[in-house]
Amino acid sequence: MTSSTPASVMGGRSLSSRPVFPNSKLKSVKPNLVGSTLVAVYIFLLTGRALDLSPLHVLHIPLLMLILLSITTISRGDLQHSFSDSMTRYFGLFTLWVIVCYPFSTWRYASLPSVQLQVQAFVIFLIIVQIIRSKRDYEKVAGAYAYAILVAALFSFHYGRNVEGRIALAGGTLGDPNEFALHLVLGLPFWWFKASRATGFRKAFFFACTLPIFYAFARAGSRSGLLALGVLFLITFIFAQGSKKVLLAVVALVGVASTTVFLPGYVQARFLTFFTPKEGAYDAATRERIESDIASSNERKALLMQSLSMTLHHPILGVGPGDFSFVAWDERKAETGIGGESLVSHNTYTQISSETGFPGFFLFLATVILGVRYSYTDFRRLSKTNPEIAQYGRYLFSALAALAVGIFFLSVGYTHLLGIMFAFTLAFRRMVASLEEP
């Protein structure tokens, strides 16, 4: 790494004392209408998964759009400007390290999909950062993300599949209830942002669009998603003004009360108990599922310890991207004679450390920390100089904080979700830099 060090991630000089991008060429930025529109459509299709549930999925439209956008991004040049920021370098070095780890993987065939997904995530990151150059570009792409999450929530009502009493989409990356719930949580701040800038009917409409998202989230029955949602509400509550704090408290109380009316008994028990079923409180089927949840929690603790042990035994290159579940099964089989199910680590941080070693872990962690730090510092600085644009940073910061907490309970280390959220952070930072140019 060049001038950036791990210490610069957590500290360093105040952002207000130096330009965000010293070599910025964005002194006069015009909206990139064609490029931002293509990115918005791509983000909508990739995140909403609408094509997964239609006959058009055989056309591989998102892949074709990714190729087109990659060519467009390369033809624009100026890639060195994106790599002038520490966040791009850390995320790029993490991607490079994933590729380096691949030849040394325990199971190279099993590692290949994870390597491909990480390369795709970084390409998506670069595309968004390169093409979003103005406030209008950012609003368009962020709006597409918000509508994509709404579409995913609405699809779950008709095309959702039942996963042991919980709801997720019929397939694809949103086929797991926990990942589905995290996507829904991350979409909420983008709708709140749209509502904060609207008035009258449009404001009411934008707030109404969050209702199916909340309902779909509740039906997913995700405990990790609930923690991410709690972080999201807490940050929003802290930075809200007096009257809005009261409104948020009322919304939270109404949401909790609504679960007793609209959700099945098992999902209520999953959310509203400490997973210790009282004798006679639930029917036999619900009691059995709750006991299964208790076993799942204990199982995740065991997987966490196993992933930490695997990290210590393979500290440099790890066991290979995407290989944790296979190596963990082999270890359990050798120790107890029973391998059981093939399970992921259920923790993105230890997933990365066990599969790519400490170098991959520190590069990934630095990227996450920079994402949270950038969004927070931009928001705090702009709150004094440009309150309107500061709203962008406030909602983005709440989303990044929820993401950092949510991935602690999921294995999503090589997914486009991270590439998109990191890119939103840096794109917002670049937009702020262009607005602050004389």
Side-chain angles (χ1 to χ4, degrees), residues 73-276:
T73 301
I74 294 173
S75 65
R76 288 176 63 90
D78 196 27
L79 280 174
Q80 71 274 11
H81 181 63
S82 292
F83 282 93
S84 67
D85 186 84
S86 298
M87 189 175 192
T88 305
R89 292 198 294 271
Y90 280 124
F91 198 38
L93 286 172
F94 170 68
T95 303
L96 180 61
W97 189 251
V98 170
I99 297 173
V100 169
C101 292
Y102 170 69
F104 304 95
S105 298
T106 306
W107 301 93
R108 282 195 293 271
Y109 181 78
S111 286
L112 185 58
S114 295
V115 176
Q116 292 172 334
L117 286 173
Q118 179 55 38
V119 172
Q120 179 182 336
F122 184 64
V123 170
I124 294 171
F125 171 88
L126 285 178
I127 288 171
I128 296 175
V129 171
Q130 283 294 110
I131 290 182
I132 295 181
R133 296 296 183 95
S134 70
K135 177 170 167 281
R136 186 173 177 182
D137 295 338
Y138 184 87
E139 290 173 348
K140 183 182 296 184
V141 177
Y145 186 84
Y147 280 106
I149 296 300
L150 175 62
V151 167
L154 294 174
F155 276 0
S156 70
F157 301 144
H158 185 68
Y159 297 103
R161 69 188 185 99
N162 189 302
V163 183
E164 297 180 351
R166 303 158 62 198
I167 297 298
L169 286 186
T173 56
L174 302 184
D176 176 72
N178 294 316
E179 291 189 33
F180 180 49
L182 181 61
H183 278 75
L184 296 174
V185 169
L186 297 180
L188 289 171
F190 292 89
W191 281 108
W192 293 342
F193 164 68
K194 291 173 70 67
S196 70
R197 300 177 59 254
T199 58
F201 173 78
R202 293 181 73 245
K203 179 184 283 289
F205 172 74
F206 291 148
F207 276 126
C209 287
T210 64
L211 296 179
I213 296 177
F214 275 116
Y215 185 49
F217 168 82
R219 296 173 75 219
S222 171
R223 293 170 288 180
S224 60
L226 187 61
L227 289 174
L229 182 62
V231 170
L232 185 67
F233 260 97
L234 178 61
I235 293 175
T236 305
F237 181 83
I238 290 173
F239 292 109
Q241 297 177 350
S243 59
K244 293 182 179 179
K245 288 182 185 291
V246 177
L247 178 61
L248 282 170
V250 171
V251 169
L253 290 174
V254 170
V256 172
S258 298
T259 60
T260 62
V261 178
F262 297 107
L263 294 182
Y266 162 62
V267 177
Q268 291 180 37
R270 204 171 198 273
F271 275 137
L272 303 177
T273 73
F274 292 101
F275 311 108
T276 304

Side-chain angles (χ1 to χ4, degrees), residues 262-298:
F262 297 107
L263 294 182
Y266 162 62
V267 177
Q268 291 180 37
R270 204 171 198 273
F271 275 137
L272 303 177
T273 73
F274 292 101
F275 311 108
T276 304
K278 298 178 181 180
E279 190 68 28
Y282 308 105
D283 57 46
T286 300
R287 221 171 25 247
E288 182 179 352
R289 284 177 173 174
I290 295 176
E291 290 170 354
S292 176
D293 291 332
I294 298 173
S296 176
S297 297
N298 295 332

